[in-house]
mmCIF file of all heavy atoms in Angstrom:
data_model
loop_
_atom_site.group_PDB
_atom_site.id
_atom_site.type_symbol
_atom_site.label_atom_id
_atom_site.label_comp_id
_atom_site.label_asym_id
_atom_site.label_seq_id
_atom_site.Cartn_x
_atom_site.Cartn_y
_atom_site.Cartn_z
ATOM 1 N N GLN A 85 2.599 38.954 44.731
ATOM 2 C CA GLN A 85 3.226 37.706 45.119
ATOM 3 C C GLN A 85 2.138 36.657 45.018
ATOM 4 O O GLN A 85 0.991 36.769 45.078
ATOM 5 C CB GLN A 85 3.641 37.782 46.517
ATOM 6 C CG GLN A 85 4.401 36.632 46.877
ATOM 7 C CD GLN A 85 4.456 36.464 48.521
ATOM 8 O OE1 GLN A 85 4.915 37.341 49.147
ATOM 9 N NE2 GLN A 85 3.907 35.399 49.028
ATOM 10 N N PRO A 95 0.195 15.288 36.152
ATOM 11 C CA PRO A 95 1.348 16.238 36.052
ATOM 12 C C PRO A 95 1.451 17.026 34.674
ATOM 13 O O PRO A 95 2.052 18.034 34.622
ATOM 14 C CB PRO A 95 2.460 15.144 36.126
ATOM 15 C CG PRO A 95 1.925 13.853 35.933
ATOM 16 C CD PRO A 95 0.499 13.934 36.195
ATOM 17 N N GLY A 150 -19.045 36.487 57.139
ATOM 18 C CA GLY A 150 -19.358 36.005 58.532
ATOM 19 C C GLY A 150 -20.175 34.902 58.639
ATOM 20 O O GLY A 150 -20.743 34.565 59.571
ATOM 21 N N PHE A 184 -10.600 14.601 40.396
ATOM 22 C CA PHE A 184 -9.653 13.696 39.780
ATOM 23 C C PHE A 184 -8.776 13.174 40.965
ATOM 24 O O PHE A 184 -8.234 13.886 41.772
ATOM 25 C CB PHE A 184 -8.730 14.396 38.788
ATOM 26 C CG PHE A 184 -9.422 14.855 37.629
ATOM 27 C CD1 PHE A 184 -9.309 16.199 37.305
ATOM 28 C CD2 PHE A 184 -10.189 13.985 36.751
ATOM 29 C CE1 PHE A 184 -10.033 16.782 36.258
ATOM 30 C CE2 PHE A 184 -10.694 14.543 35.625
ATOM 31 C CZ PHE A 184 -10.647 15.875 35.275
ATOM 32 N N ASP A 189 -11.924 9.168 38.593
ATOM 33 C CA ASP A 189 -12.581 10.485 38.849
ATOM 34 C C ASP A 189 -13.808 10.225 39.715
ATOM 35 O O ASP A 189 -14.472 9.175 39.595
ATOM 36 C CB ASP A 189 -12.764 11.388 37.701
ATOM 37 C CG ASP A 189 -13.516 10.771 36.620
ATOM 38 O OD1 ASP A 189 -14.494 10.066 36.742
ATOM 39 O OD2 ASP A 189 -12.948 10.875 35.456
ATOM 40 N N LEU A 200 -28.471 15.012 49.923
ATOM 41 C CA LEU A 200 -29.490 16.077 50.077
ATOM 42 C C LEU A 200 -30.920 15.528 50.089
ATOM 43 O O LEU A 200 -31.793 16.245 50.497
ATOM 44 C CB LEU A 200 -29.329 17.176 49.099
ATOM 45 C CG LEU A 200 -28.078 18.005 49.189
ATOM 46 C CD1 LEU A 200 -28.185 19.220 48.294
ATOM 47 C CD2 LEU A 200 -27.741 18.426 50.557
ATOM 48 N N THR A 209 -27.495 24.840 46.233
ATOM 49 C CA THR A 209 -26.033 24.298 46.088
ATOM 50 C C THR A 209 -25.445 25.104 44.954
ATOM 51 O O THR A 209 -26.052 25.533 43.969
ATOM 52 C CB THR A 209 -25.948 22.828 45.660
ATOM 53 O OG1 THR A 209 -26.318 22.673 44.279
ATOM 54 C CG2 THR A 209 -26.848 21.947 46.546
ATOM 55 N N TRP A 229 -21.396 27.852 39.582
ATOM 56 C CA TRP A 229 -20.346 28.854 40.083
ATOM 57 C C TRP A 229 -20.073 29.906 38.969
ATOM 58 O O TRP A 229 -20.221 31.112 39.150
ATOM 59 C CB TRP A 229 -19.100 28.063 40.487
ATOM 60 C CG TRP A 229 -17.912 28.965 41.003
ATOM 61 C CD1 TRP A 229 -17.344 30.012 40.411
ATOM 62 C CD2 TRP A 229 -17.288 28.774 42.278
ATOM 63 N NE1 TRP A 229 -16.338 30.458 41.216
ATOM 64 C CE2 TRP A 229 -16.281 29.864 42.372
ATOM 65 C CE3 TRP A 229 -17.528 27.967 43.455
ATOM 66 C CZ2 TRP A 229 -15.467 29.904 43.549
ATOM 67 C CZ3 TRP A 229 -16.671 28.035 44.523
ATOM 68 C CH2 TRP A 229 -15.677 28.994 44.551
ATOM 69 N N GLN A 234 -20.814 35.885 37.175
ATOM 70 C CA GLN A 234 -20.950 36.967 36.168
ATOM 71 C C GLN A 234 -21.737 38.135 36.719
ATOM 72 O O GLN A 234 -21.784 39.106 36.186
ATOM 73 C CB GLN A 234 -21.852 36.334 34.991
ATOM 74 C CG GLN A 234 -21.371 35.105 34.490
ATOM 75 C CD GLN A 234 -20.361 35.174 33.419
ATOM 76 O OE1 GLN A 234 -20.353 36.124 32.713
ATOM 77 N NE2 GLN A 234 -19.340 34.357 33.390
ATOM 78 N N SER A 247 -14.707 39.072 68.227
ATOM 79 C CA SER A 247 -13.463 38.166 68.441
ATOM 80 C C SER A 247 -14.107 36.728 68.614
ATOM 81 O O SER A 247 -13.541 35.710 68.057
ATOM 82 C CB SER A 247 -12.752 38.471 69.708
ATOM 83 O OG SER A 247 -12.027 39.603 69.409
ATOM 84 N N VAL A 266 -16.821 20.599 66.007
ATOM 85 C CA VAL A 266 -15.930 21.432 66.891
ATOM 86 C C VAL A 266 -15.934 22.850 66.327
ATOM 87 O O VAL A 266 -15.823 23.093 65.062
ATOM 88 C CB VAL A 266 -14.398 20.871 66.688
ATOM 89 C CG1 VAL A 266 -13.434 21.785 67.354
ATOM 90 C CG2 VAL A 266 -14.282 19.433 67.128
ATOM 91 N N GLU A 385 11.917 4.623 62.387
ATOM 92 C CA GLU A 385 12.464 4.234 61.149
ATOM 93 C C GLU A 385 12.000 5.236 60.083
ATOM 94 O O GLU A 385 12.883 5.553 59.224
ATOM 95 C CB GLU A 385 11.909 2.862 60.852
ATOM 96 C CG GLU A 385 12.909 2.025 60.261
ATOM 97 C CD GLU A 385 12.317 1.213 59.042
ATOM 98 O OE1 GLU A 385 11.476 0.344 59.238
ATOM 99 O OE2 GLU A 385 12.758 1.672 57.875
ATOM 100 N N TRP A 389 14.265 7.710 57.700
ATOM 101 C CA TRP A 389 14.093 7.602 56.197
ATOM 102 C C TRP A 389 13.930 9.064 55.609
ATOM 103 O O TRP A 389 14.479 9.540 54.659
ATOM 104 C CB TRP A 389 13.030 6.731 55.846
ATOM 105 C CG TRP A 389 12.918 6.476 54.313
ATOM 106 C CD1 TRP A 389 13.664 5.595 53.609
ATOM 107 C CD2 TRP A 389 12.145 7.194 53.427
ATOM 108 N NE1 TRP A 389 13.310 5.591 52.210
ATOM 109 C CE2 TRP A 389 12.476 6.630 52.156
ATOM 110 C CE3 TRP A 389 11.155 8.232 53.503
ATOM 111 C CZ2 TRP A 389 11.713 7.062 51.018
ATOM 112 C CZ3 TRP A 389 10.664 8.648 52.375
ATOM 113 C CH2 TRP A 389 10.900 8.082 51.147
ATOM 114 N N GLY A 420 14.949 23.893 63.393
ATOM 115 C CA GLY A 420 16.361 24.344 63.466
ATOM 116 C C GLY A 420 16.799 24.943 64.821
ATOM 117 O O GLY A 420 17.883 25.359 65.066
ATOM 118 N N PRO A 434 5.255 28.088 73.368
ATOM 119 C CA PRO A 434 4.904 29.225 74.376
ATOM 120 C C PRO A 434 3.326 29.310 74.428
ATOM 121 O O PRO A 434 2.624 29.167 73.416
ATOM 122 C CB PRO A 434 5.471 30.382 73.661
ATOM 123 C CG PRO A 434 6.709 29.862 72.950
ATOM 124 C CD PRO A 434 6.267 28.534 72.355
ATOM 125 N N LYS A 514 -6.790 6.016 64.883
ATOM 126 C CA LYS A 514 -6.110 6.797 63.898
ATOM 127 C C LYS A 514 -5.648 5.932 62.730
ATOM 128 O O LYS A 514 -4.707 5.190 62.889
ATOM 129 C CB LYS A 514 -4.926 7.361 64.669
ATOM 130 C CG LYS A 514 -5.124 8.682 65.366
ATOM 131 C CD LYS A 514 -4.766 9.758 64.232
ATOM 132 C CE LYS A 514 -5.651 10.967 64.564
ATOM 133 N NZ LYS A 514 -5.194 12.195 63.601
ATOM 134 N N PRO A 596 -18.139 -10.613 72.707
ATOM 135 C CA PRO A 596 -17.985 -10.598 74.210
ATOM 136 C C PRO A 596 -18.649 -9.502 74.919
ATOM 137 O O PRO A 596 -18.173 -8.398 74.791
ATOM 138 C CB PRO A 596 -16.447 -10.561 74.472
ATOM 139 C CG PRO A 596 -15.972 -9.965 73.153
ATOM 140 C CD PRO A 596 -16.891 -10.117 72.060
ATOM 141 N N GLU A 613 -4.875 -7.741 67.947
ATOM 142 C CA GLU A 613 -3.378 -7.551 67.992
ATOM 143 C C GLU A 613 -2.751 -8.969 67.942
ATOM 144 O O GLU A 613 -1.396 -8.966 68.102
ATOM 145 C CB GLU A 613 -3.013 -6.705 69.097
ATOM 146 C CG GLU A 613 -3.305 -5.289 69.006
ATOM 147 C CD GLU A 613 -2.977 -4.511 70.328
ATOM 148 O OE1 GLU A 613 -2.132 -4.983 71.207
ATOM 149 O OE2 GLU A 613 -3.674 -3.449 70.522
#
Side-chain angles (χ1 to χ4, degrees):
Q85 185 200 301
F184 299 116
D189 47 54
L200 293 192
T209 74
W229 180 304
Q234 314 272 325
S247 289
V266 173
E385 222 227 287
W389 186 86
K514 268 270 151 172
E613 283 173 27

